[in-house]
C-alpha cells in the first residue's frame, strides 16, 4: 500500500513547514527551505519505492506505472529546483518563507496525484490541489499590482477551465456509469455508452485540459499570469503543473477514449497548429522577457500537442521526453530572469540584458545554453525533443503538421537569437547592478544546464524509459 | 416521474448561464458567482446521473466538488480582497497593468 506514499510525505512535510514557520524566529527561517528540500527528496525516494511495487491501489483509483513514475519524478525535480532557486529571491524581496515552501509542497502533492490517478474524480482532486496552491503562489507579491492581477486572472480562468473539465467528467459518468478510465473504455467498447453525450463530454474535457496546458485557443491567460507572477513561481508554473496537466491529458484520452481518437485527433491538430503559430508570432513582438518566455511556452505546448496528435507510443514517449527537456531549459531561463531582475523585479525588459555577455560571462553562457536548447540546436535536450516529436509525427502521416511545425521553429529561432544579440553585441545603457550569484541559484542553473546537455548528448536512456512507460497507449 | 433529460437540460441551461455571466459580467464578485453557478450545474448532473444509474457514487462526487468549491472560494475571495485593497475597484476592465 505505498501507491500514495510520495503525496502523503509531501503533505506531511508541507504541514510541518507551516507549523514550524509559526514556531521559528525570523533569523532561522532558512531552515524551512531545507525542510522542504528534505521533503521533496523523500518524495522522490518514495516515488521510486512505489515504482518497485507498481500496480493499482485504492480499488484501481491509483495506478503506479512507469508513466506515473516518470511524471512524478519530473515534477518533484522541478519542485526541488524551484525551492533551491527561491531562497535568495524570497529574502531579497522580503517575502514570507514558510507559506511559500508549504504551497510548493502542496502543489507538488497535487501534481503527483494527477500523475498517478486512473480515475476521473482523483484526477480532478489532484488538479485542484495543484491549482489552488499555485493561484496563491502567483499572487505572492501581495503589494504588487501586477502580481495581484496575475493571481486573479489565473484563479478565474483556472476555475473556469476546471468547471468545463468537471462537466465533461459528469457527462462521461452519465454516458458510461463509471469514472474509472479502464471501465469507461470497456463500456464504450461494448457499445453501452450514449454516443452524443460522449462526444460532448470529450469536447468539454478537451477544453478543460487545453486551458490547463495553455494550448491555443485557450491560451489568453498565459502571458499575463506568467508576467505578473514572481519569477521563480513562473519557472514552476510553466513547467510543473503543465507537465502534470499533459500527463493526465494523455492518460485520459489514450486510456478511456481511444475509440474516438480519429475525431479528437483533429481537435489536437488544430490546437497544436494554433498554439505554435500564435505563440511564436506573438513572441516576436515582445519587449518584456517574461512575456516573451510566456508566449514561447505556448508554442512549446503546441509542439507537445503535435506529438500527442500522432497517437502512437513513440509519439507519447516523444511528448514525455520533450516535457522533461523543456522543464530544465525553461527553469534555467526563468531563474536567470529572477536573479537578474533585481529587487522588485525592475529589470525584466529585453534591453536590460544589453552587455550581459561582457559583464557577467558565466551567467551569459548559461543563458545561451538554455536559449539554444529552446531553439533546438544539436547537443542540447531541445534538439532531440523536437527531433523525436517531428519523427513521430511523420511516422503517423501528419506531414502538414510537421512542415508547419518546422517552419514555426525557424520563426522561434529569431526571437531567441535576438536576446543573444542584445546580450553579446549591444553596449549596456546603464550599468544594472547585479548581486553575486547565490549558492542556491548557481546550483539550480548548473543542474539545469547539465540536464539540458545530458538529454542532448545521451537521450537514449530517458527515451527508452519513456517508451516503456508509454505502453498504455493503444496501437492505432 | 421527472425524466432524466429534464435534469440534464436544466443543468446545461444553468451551466450556460454561468458561462455567459463569466464572459459578459464586469464585476469581479459576479464573475466569481458565475463560476460557482457552473460548478453547481455540474453537481446537478452528477446527482441526476447517480439516480439514473442507481449508484451512490455520483452523489459522493458531489461532496468532493462542494469541498473543492469551498477551498476555491476561500482562496478566490482572499485574492479578490487583495486586489480591491490595492486598486479600490471591482471592475475587471480596470485590471490592465499588463498589456500586449
Amino acid at each position: 500500500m505505498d501507491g500514495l506514499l510520495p503525496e502523503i510525505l509531501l503533505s506531511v512535510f508541507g504541514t510541518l513547514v507551516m507549523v514550524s514557520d509559526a514556531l521559528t524566529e525570523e533569523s532561522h527561517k532558512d531552515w524551512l527551505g531545507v525542510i522542504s528540500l528534505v521533503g521533496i527528496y523523500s518524495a522522490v525516494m518514495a516515488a521510486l519505492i512505489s515504482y518497485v511495487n507498481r500496480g493499482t491501489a485504492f480499488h484501481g483509483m491509483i495506478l503506479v506505472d512507469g508513466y506515473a513514475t516518470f511524471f512524478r519524478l519530473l515534477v518533484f525535480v522541478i519542485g526541488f529546483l524551484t525551492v533551491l532557486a527561491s531562497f535568495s529571491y524570497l529574502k531579497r524581496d522580503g517575502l514570507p518563507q514558510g507559506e511559500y515552501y508549504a504551497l510548493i509542497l502542496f502543489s507538488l502533492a497535487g501534481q503527483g496525484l494527477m500523475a498517478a490517478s486512473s480515475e476521473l474524480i482523483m484526477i480532478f482532486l489532484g488538479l485542484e490541489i495543484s491549482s489552488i496552491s499555485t493561484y496563491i503562489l502567483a499572487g505572492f507579491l501581495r503589494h504588487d499590482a501586477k502580481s495581484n492581477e496575475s493571481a486573479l486572472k489565473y484563479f478565474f480562468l483556472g476555475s473556469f477551465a476546471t468547471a468545463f473539465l468537471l462537466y465533461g467528467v459528469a457527462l462521461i459518468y452519465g454516458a458510461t456509469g463509471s469514472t474509472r478510465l479502464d471501465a469507461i473504455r470497456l463500456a464504450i467498447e461494448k457499445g453501452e455508452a450514449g454516443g452524443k453525450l460522449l462526444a460532448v463530454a470529450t469536447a468539454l474535457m478537451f477544453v478543460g485540459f487545453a486551458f490547463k496546458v495553455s494550448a491555443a485557443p485557450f491560451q489568453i491567460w498565459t502571458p499575463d499570469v506568467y508576467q505578473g507572477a514572481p519569477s521563480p513561481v513562473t519557472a514552476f508554473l510553466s513547467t510543473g503543473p503543465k507537465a502534470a496537466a499533459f500527463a493526465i491529458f494523455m492518460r485520459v484520452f489514450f486510456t478511456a477514449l481511444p475509440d474516438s481518437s480519429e475525431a479528437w485527433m483533429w481537435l489536437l491538430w488544430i490546437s497544436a497548429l494554433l498554439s505554435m503559430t500564435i505563440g511564436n508570432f506573438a513572441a516576436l513582438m515582445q519587449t518584456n522577457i517574461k512575456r516573451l518566455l510566456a508566449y514561447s511556452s505556448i508554442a512549446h505546448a503546441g509542439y507537445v500537442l503535435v506529438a500527442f496528435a500522432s497517437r502512437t507510443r513513440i509519439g507519447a514517449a516523444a511528448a514525455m521526453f520533450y516535457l522533461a527537456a523543456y522543464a530544465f531549459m525553461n527553469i534555467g531561463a526563468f531563474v536567470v530572469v529572477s536573479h537578474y531582475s533585481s529587487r522588485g523585479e525592475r529589470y525584466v525588459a529585453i534591453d536590460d540584458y544589453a552587455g550581459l555577455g561582457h559583464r557577467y560571462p558565466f551567467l551569459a553562457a548559461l543563458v545561451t545554453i538554455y536559449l539554444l536548447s529552446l531553439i533546438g540546436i544539436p547537443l542540447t535536450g531541445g534538439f532531440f525533443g523536437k527531433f523525436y516529436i517531428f519523427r513521430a509525427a511523420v511516422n503517423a502521416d501528419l506531414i502538414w503538421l510537421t512542415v508547419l511545425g518546422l517552419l514555426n521553429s525557424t520563426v522561434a529561432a529569431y526571437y531567441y537569437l535576438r536576446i543573444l544579440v542584445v546580450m553579446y553585441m549591444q553596449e549596456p545603457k546603464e550599468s544594472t547592478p547585479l548581486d553575486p550569484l547565490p549558492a542556491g541559484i548557481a546550483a539550480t542553473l548548473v543542474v539545469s544546464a547539465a540536464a539540458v546537455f545530458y538529454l542532448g548528448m545521451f537521450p537514449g536512456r530517458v527515451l527508452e524509459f519513456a517508451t516503456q512507460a508509454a505502453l498504455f497507449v493503444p496501437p492505432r | 416521474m421527472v425524466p432524466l433529460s429534464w435534469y440534464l437540460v436544466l443543468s446545461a441551461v444553468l451551466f450556460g448561464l454561468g458561462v455567459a455571466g463569466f464572459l459578459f459580467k464586469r464585476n469581479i464578485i459576479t464573475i466569481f458567482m458565475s463560476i460557482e453557478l457552473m460548478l453547481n450545474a455540474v453537481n446537478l448532473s452528477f446527482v441526476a446521473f447517480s439516480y439514473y444509474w442507481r449508484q451512490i457514487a455520483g452523489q459522493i462526487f458531489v461532496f468532493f466538488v462542494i469541498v473543492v468549491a469551498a477551498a476555491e472560494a476561500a482562496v478566490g475571495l482572499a485574492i479578490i480582497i487583495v486586489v480591491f485593497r490595492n486598486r479600490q475597484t471591482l471592475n475587471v476592465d480596470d485590471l490592465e497593468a499588463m498589456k500586449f
Side-chain angles (χ1 to χ4, degrees):
Chain A
M1 285 316 286
D2 44 14
L4 273 185
L5 194 57
E7 287 73 32
I8 294 171
L9 279 172
L10 285 169
S11 314
V12 169
F13 272 94
T15 317
L16 186 68
V17 169
M18 273 199 330
V19 174
S20 10
D21 182 33
L23 300 178
T24 42
E25 289 168 38
E26 203 54 48
S27 52
H28 293 96
K29 296 263 164 147
D30 284 0
W31 286 102
L32 299 174
V34 177
I35 298 178
S36 322
L37 290 179
V38 172
I40 300 175
Y41 179 76
S42 62
V44 168
M45 289 298 137
L48 292 173
I49 291 171
S50 67
Y51 180 60
V52 174
N53 308 323
R54 50 187 168 272
T56 57
F58 298 102
H59 301 281
M61 292 200 290
I62 298 297
L63 171 61
V64 179
D65 56 359
Y67 184 75
T69 309
F70 182 92
F71 278 105
R72 267 183 175 171
L73 292 178
L74 179 60
V75 293
F76 295 162
V77 170
I78 290 170
F80 194 90
L81 293 177
T82 312
V83 171
L84 212 51
S86 303
F87 278 116
S88 56
Y89 186 91
L90 296 176
K91 266 197 241 164
R92 187 184 76 192
D93 285 46
L95 298 170
Q97 303 198 29
E99 294 144 44
Y100 182 92
Y101 295 130
L103 286 169
I104 296 256
L105 291 177
F106 291 141
S107 172
L108 286 179
Q111 287 157 32
L113 185 61
M114 282 155 89
S117 339
S118 57
E119 203 259 327
L120 289 170
I121 295 297
M122 293 309 280
I123 287 175
F124 165 70
L125 286 178
L127 187 66
E128 281 303 282
I129 295 171
S130 159
S131 302
I132 292 178
S133 323
T134 45
Y135 298 153
I136 310 174
L137 284 172
F140 214 72
L141 300 168
R142 238 179 347 133
H143 303 290
D144 180 75
K146 282 185 186 164
S147 186
N148 294 163
E149 199 175 314
S150 158
L152 190 73
K153 285 178 179 167
Y154 195 31
F155 167 68
F156 273 162
L157 290 160
S159 331
F160 189 60
T162 307
F164 274 90
L165 180 70
L166 198 62
Y167 201 21
V169 171
L171 294 186
I172 284 218
Y173 172 64
T176 61
S178 177
T179 50
R180 273 182 54 179
L181 299 180
D182 46 354
I184 293 170
R185 184 182 181 182
L186 275 180
I188 295 173
E189 274 172 357
K190 281 194 213 144
E192 289 167 357
K196 271 182 197 159
L197 209 53
L198 209 57
V200 177
T202 310
L204 286 168
M205 296 223 295
F206 176 82
V207 171
F209 285 134
F211 255 111
K212 292 290 176 187
V213 301
S214 68
F218 309 105
Q219 89 296 4
I220 12 144
W221 57 275
T222 317
D224 286 358
V225 171
Y226 286 10
Q227 186 189 342
S231 297
V233 173
T234 314
F236 184 64
L237 286 185
S238 61
T239 50
K242 191 176 259 191
F246 263 116
I248 51 173
F249 198 172
M250 292 200 282
R251 174 86 94 185
V252 169
F253 275 62
F254 282 133
T255 313
L257 307 163
D259 288 19
S260 53
S261 74
E262 280 299 329
W264 52 255
M265 191 275 276
W266 286 105
L267 292 177
L268 292 175
W269 200 100
I270 295 167
S271 179
L273 180 60
L274 280 176
S275 308
M276 291 190 292
T277 317
I278 295 177
N280 283 325
F281 280 89
L284 287 177
M285 289 170 272
Q286 300 308 318
T287 52
N288 179 303
I289 192 146
K290 281 170 91 179
R291 214 171 166 80
L292 182 143
L293 287 171
Y295 276 110
S296 104
S297 135
I298 296 170
H300 286 284
Y303 300 133
V304 178
L305 285 174
V306 171
F308 190 176
S310 70
R311 291 175 297 145
T312 54
R313 257 179 78 187
I314 307 174
M320 291 161 74
F321 185 91
Y322 198 80
L323 285 167
Y326 172 72
F328 290 112
M329 52 209 191
N330 215 41
I331 285 189
F334 270 118
V335 168
V336 171
V337 170
S338 121
H339 176 60
Y340 191 71
S341 64
S342 176
R343 192 179 159 78
E345 303 216 352
R346 265 178 300 166
Y347 305 108
V348 285
I350 293 172
D351 291 338
D352 292 332
Y353 284 75
L356 186 74
H358 309 297
R359 290 166 48 223
Y360 306 100
F362 179 64
L363 198 59
L366 286 168
V367 179
T368 313
I369 294 170
Y370 307 134
L371 291 180
L372 290 181
S373 181
L374 284 164
I375 299 175
I377 301 289
L379 288 183
T380 60
F383 169 74
F384 274 111
K386 282 210 177 70
F387 174 73
Y388 292 138
I389 281 180
F390 289 122
R391 192 185 59 175
V394 170
N395 284 342
D397 291 328
L398 297 172
I399 306 297
W400 274 109
L401 198 55
T402 311
V403 171
L404 294 166
L406 287 173
L407 286 177
N408 251 297
S409 42
T410 356
V411 174
Y414 174 78
Y415 58 81
Y416 293 128
L417 287 175
R418 191 172 54 131
I419 304 177
L420 291 182
V421 169
V422 170
M423 264 175 22
Y424 282 104
M425 299 185 185
Q426 284 185 10
E427 290 301 314
K429 278 184 297 192
E430 49 170 333
S431 56
T432 41
L434 190 66
D435 307 327
L437 272 186
I441 291 206
T444 314
L445 292 177
V446 170
V447 168
S448 353
V452 165
F453 276 129
Y454 176 75
L455 292 175
M457 288 192 257
F458 312 101
R461 287 184 69 177
V462 176
L463 187 74
E464 198 180 316
F465 186 80
T467 317
Q468 285 297 320
L471 265 176
F472 73 98
V473 176
R476 278 164 74 192
Chain B
M1 200 190 99
V2 184
L4 174 70
S5 57
W6 289 26
Y7 290 108
L8 294 189
V9 169
L10 177 62
S11 159
V13 168
L14 287 175
F15 192 84
L17 284 175
V19 173
F22 182 90
L23 295 176
F24 299 119
K25 286 292 180 181
R26 310 273 37 118
N27 183 294
I28 293 178
I29 302 283
T30 320
I31 294 175
F32 179 63
M33 291 194 307
S34 304
I35 293 173
E36 294 293 307
L37 183 62
M38 289 165 73
L39 290 177
N40 284 317
V42 175
N43 284 345
L44 182 60
S45 285
F46 266 125
V47 174
F49 283 129
S50 160
Y51 185 72
Y52 171 78
W53 286 105
R54 297 286 187 276
Q55 285 177 0
I56 197 70
Q59 294 175 40
I60 294 172
F61 298 157
V62 172
F63 283 111
F64 281 105
V65 177
I66 291 173
V67 169
V68 167
E72 257 189 14
V75 168
L77 288 172
I79 293 174
I80 292 173
I81 289 173
V82 171
V83 169
F84 182 74
R85 279 197 188 143
N86 281 342
R87 306 274 182 122
Q88 310 299 325
T89 173
L90 279 177
N91 189 328
V92 275
D93 291 330
D94 296 336
L95 292 177
E96 41 181 26
M98 291 168 287
K99 273 251 168 101
F100 180 55

